[in-house]
Amino acid sequence: MLVDPGDFTPAALAAIAPTCVEGCAPGSVELVGGQVVYPHRADLFDRWYWRCGCGAYCGVHPTLKPLGRPAGPETRRAREAAHAAFDPMWRKRAEISGVKAHVARGRGYKWLAEQLGFDRKDCHIAEMDAATARRVVHACQRVKIASC
Ligand SMILES: [Zn+2]
């Protein structure tokens, strides 16, 4: 069971609320129970989600901080495609070079940030909009083609 948002003041919640990646106004995202996001998944009713008025949502860390930024269906699909393209690359790198997974992942994100022109600290697939997530797929495809 996650922390109860009732334990937090509205100001404390507002301070950690994410902004919607779909371009909605700040302040449109609130904490909701799992039954709002997944009405047919009783097993998720005791979870919390950050959800925007537009329906975009993201997961919640046990501290109530957002896991990424709320996203709609198209963005979630694009992020899944980005992970499907990117994750095997750093996993393969870990396997080949023998470095630990978190090290290979960190190096992978450093490379990805360079490809996208982002600061490393701002480069997280869970925070990307759909267009940026598609750029991840293209960047990974370029490497795969180049290494054939
Ligand atoms: Zn929204």
Side-chain angles (χ1 to χ4, degrees):
M1 181 69 181
L2 296 167
V3 173
D4 184 346
D7 293 342
F8 286 68
T9 65
L13 287 175
I16 59 170
T19 55
C20 178
V21 81
E22 308 301 348
C24 300
S28 52
V29 178
E30 62 180 4
L31 270 175
V32 298
Q35 70 279 6
V36 176
V37 174
Y38 294 108
H40 305 295
R41 292 283 307 274
D43 57 315
L44 299 176
F45 286 5
D46 66 346
R47 299 258 180 159
W48 298 99
Y49 294 87
W50 284 105
R51 185 180 184 277
C52 180
C54 76
Y57 65 90
C58 70
V60 173
H61 188 265
T63 60
L64 295 183
K65 285 186 179 162
L67 297 170
R69 293 177 65 198
E74 184 192 345
T75 303
R76 284 198 300 277
R77 279 193 297 274
R79 288 175 182 174
E80 283 167 19
H83 274 296
F86 176 64
D87 294 353
M89 288 177 58
W90 62 258
R91 289 204 178 101
K92 185 82 177 171
R93 176 57 60 186
E95 196 181 303
I96 291 169
S97 61
V99 298
K100 291 193 184 314
H102 76 273
V103 174
R105 183 172 178 272
R107 288 177 185 167
Y109 266 104
K110 183 171 181 284
W111 169 83
L112 187 59
E114 286 165 7
Q115 302 305 306
L116 300 176
F118 285 13
D119 276 354
R120 167 65 190 93
K121 65 177 171 46
D122 299 326
C123 188
H124 304 283
I125 291 172
E127 295 178 358
M128 290 177 182
D129 62 16
T132 307
R134 286 189 201 103
R135 290 180 60 207
V136 173
V137 174
H138 294 145
C140 294
Q141 285 171 343
R142 279 197 303 272
V143 170
K144 281 171 189 160
I145 290 165
S147 62
C148 281

